Amino acid sequence: MSTNNANTAANATTVHGSVAQGYEGVREEFAAFVAGEENDPGAQLAAYKDGRLVVDLWAGDVSGDSLTGVFSTTKGAAHLVVALLVQDGTLELDRKVADYWPEFAAEGKGALTLRELLAHRSGVIGADDGFTPEELADDRVIAERLAGQRPFWQPGVGHGYHALVIGALTGEVVRRVTGRSIQEIYEERVRAPYDLDFFLGLPESERARYRDVLPMLPTPEQRAELTANASGRYSRRSIAFNTSADPSFDLTAFVNSDVSLAKSPASVGGAGNARGIAGMYAATIGGFNGRGPLLKPDTVAEFSRIHSTGTDLVVNAPGTFALGFEAVSVAFPALDANAFGHSGAAGSLAFGDVRSGLAYGYTRRRYAYPGGAAPENARLSKAVYEAAIA
């Protein structure tokens, strides 16, 4: 890889790192994005092609080794564990959740299958009276409370984003069958053997590398738009994002909190860097760090296939889900149609694509407007993908 630095004109932020031959256009896109940012994004971009690091860039108040909260990008790690257990034959997608977890059958949820749960179709998006931050940090507590929760629509009919609870629900299925948590299995089968800088449960030995996610700094126009789009306190959206809780819930503060970093709830609690989240998908789809792929092609095909599409009943907008993962090309049509991964609220995005052999990871420390995968991912992922298939 060739080392390149670029001083940006707008905010004097330096782009650090390197790109392989043929990926120079990615560096240019990254530098142009950084130059156009009024506030330091603290961004990292990494990509692997057939297991080889071809893009490794960072800018702002982070290093390439810095770790930060990746919010819902965590869901990709959680559901990689589920995919491994399905591949092993330990879990069956078309068995009822209640077969594994009998208490879940309460309030008319008994017929829901694991496949439907993974596709965000359970209707159990949160609790009527919300969760405290301490409760949300503990997947076991979430699962215990939601076992008896009435669903917010008929289970299996329609879908909606289970933003803060999907990892606890699928995690309870995993625990009932294996006696172990998603976090424990991820550490044993994924993170440690592939030596990934992406943690579900940040060790004290790594805390010095963690950089707090910084809150969004919207313009007055953006703030007005966010206010106009805010939901009522007891709407499905408010239930799903826990803003119905009293006192009010701050997701950014939660992700940075000691309790969240330590317990790493499987929906939103992961901490990593761009190399780490990209590396997980490199390990998933192909050989990486001297080891073979985690998933077989038919498992990847099943878990990356779209299972839910149409109006999302939580956010009241078009939404698409595969099994535990997002079908990334729906939001980023320049990518291969089979790309799968997950984005995170502050702007992170990670995905893998078997046909191109590409694994992509992006993080940013400053929360991006309006939330979810940061807008710059569109041009950055396109530049990486086009270089990968050239």
Side-chain angles (χ1 to χ4, degrees):
M1 294 175 74
S2 59
T3 301
N4 298 277
N5 291 335
N7 289 324
T8 61
N11 56 12
T13 298
T14 301
V15 173
H16 303 273
S18 57
V19 297
Q21 185 176 359
Y23 290 80
E24 294 84 0
V26 177
R27 185 192 64 247
E28 293 170 4
E29 282 287 359
F30 187 72
F33 150 66
V34 171
E37 287 290 286
E38 181 178 354
N39 299 298
D40 173 14
Q44 301 168 326
L45 175 65
Y48 294 87
K49 165 71 172 175
D50 298 325
R52 180 172 71 99
L53 185 63
V54 292
V55 175
D56 186 25
L57 300 171
W58 61 94
D61 191 18
V62 293
S63 71
D65 293 324
S66 298
L67 306 171
T68 194
V70 296
F71 294 80
S72 289
T73 298
T74 308
K75 293 179 174 72
H79 295 124
L80 172 57
V81 170
V82 176
L84 284 167
L85 294 174
V86 169
Q87 181 172 269
D88 293 345
T90 304
L91 295 175
E92 297 177 24
L93 288 171
D94 294 313
R95 282 192 67 178
K96 296 174 183 177
V97 172
D99 289 345
Y100 300 114
W101 177 13
E103 297 89 336
F104 187 79
E107 296 288 345
K109 305 190 297 292
L112 188 83
T113 64
L114 178 58
R115 182 187 300 275
E116 290 171 322
L117 175 59
L118 287 163
H120 292 257
R121 304 182 73 85
S122 82
V124 189
I125 53 175
D128 283 314
D129 52 353
F131 295 97
T132 67
E134 292 74 21
E135 289 173 327
L136 275 179
D138 192 327
D139 285 342
R140 292 286 305 279
V141 171
I142 296 172
E144 182 177 350
R145 287 195 57 192
L146 293 186
Q149 171 67 44
R150 64 178 179 85
F152 288 86
W153 61 83
Q154 184 178 342
V157 179
H159 72 280
Y161 190 33
H162 294 43
L164 302 180
V165 303
I166 189 69
L169 296 172
T170 54
E172 186 64 13
V173 173
V174 168
R175 190 185 70 82
R176 293 295 178 111
V177 174
T178 68
R180 306 181 70 207
S181 69
I182 276 178
Q183 292 85 346
E184 289 170 329
I185 297 171
Y186 171 78
E187 176 66 21
E188 179 182 286
R189 297 188 62 176
V190 182
R191 199 213 64 78
Y194 289 91
D195 192 24
L196 300 175
D197 256 357
F198 182 19
F199 299 88
L200 300 192
L202 188 62
E204 282 295 329
S205 60
E206 305 293 344
R207 290 294 291 272
R209 291 198 286 148
Y210 185 80
R211 307 289 288 164
D212 279 358
V213 178
L214 300 174
M216 186 189 304
L217 294 175
T219 66
E221 293 79 11
Q222 290 169 342
R223 189 178 300 278
E225 184 172 317
L226 290 169
T227 300
N229 292 335
S231 301
R233 181 171 177 183
Y234 296 107
S235 67
R236 283 192 291 259
R237 184 185 187 111
S238 295
I239 295 290
F241 288 93
N242 205 46
T243 55
S244 59
D246 185 15
S248 60
F249 178 68
D250 183 332
L251 179 59
T252 301
F254 172 71
V255 164
N256 289 329
S257 68
D258 289 342
V259 66
S260 176
L261 289 170
K263 292 188 175 182
S264 191
S267 296
V268 295
N273 55 35
R275 294 177 199 139
I277 60 178
M280 186 187 74
Y281 285 94
T284 297
I285 65 174
F288 184 71
N289 276 356
R291 292 176 171 267
L294 285 161
L295 297 184
K296 299 174 183 177
D298 59 343
T299 308
V300 172
E302 184 67 14
F303 273 77
S304 62
R305 181 166 59 88
I306 292 174
H307 280 68
S308 294
T309 191
T311 299
D312 183 303
L313 295 174
V314 168
V315 300
N316 196 33
T320 305
F321 295 101
L323 291 182
F325 298 94
E326 294 174 327
V328 178
S329 66
V330 175
F332 302 102
L335 303 178
D336 187 279
N338 294 308
F340 69 104
H342 218 289
S343 59
S348 61
L349 174 67
F351 65 81
D353 170 47
V354 172
R355 285 198 286 207
S356 68
L358 176 66
Y360 171 99
Y362 178 75
T363 72
R364 57 177 286 159
R365 189 179 175 210
R366 173 69 67 184
Y367 202 114
Y369 174 85
E376 62 268 17
N377 278 293
R379 68 199 224 206
L380 294 175
S381 63
K382 179 181 179 182
V384 174
Y385 179 71
E386 289 179 348
I389 64 174

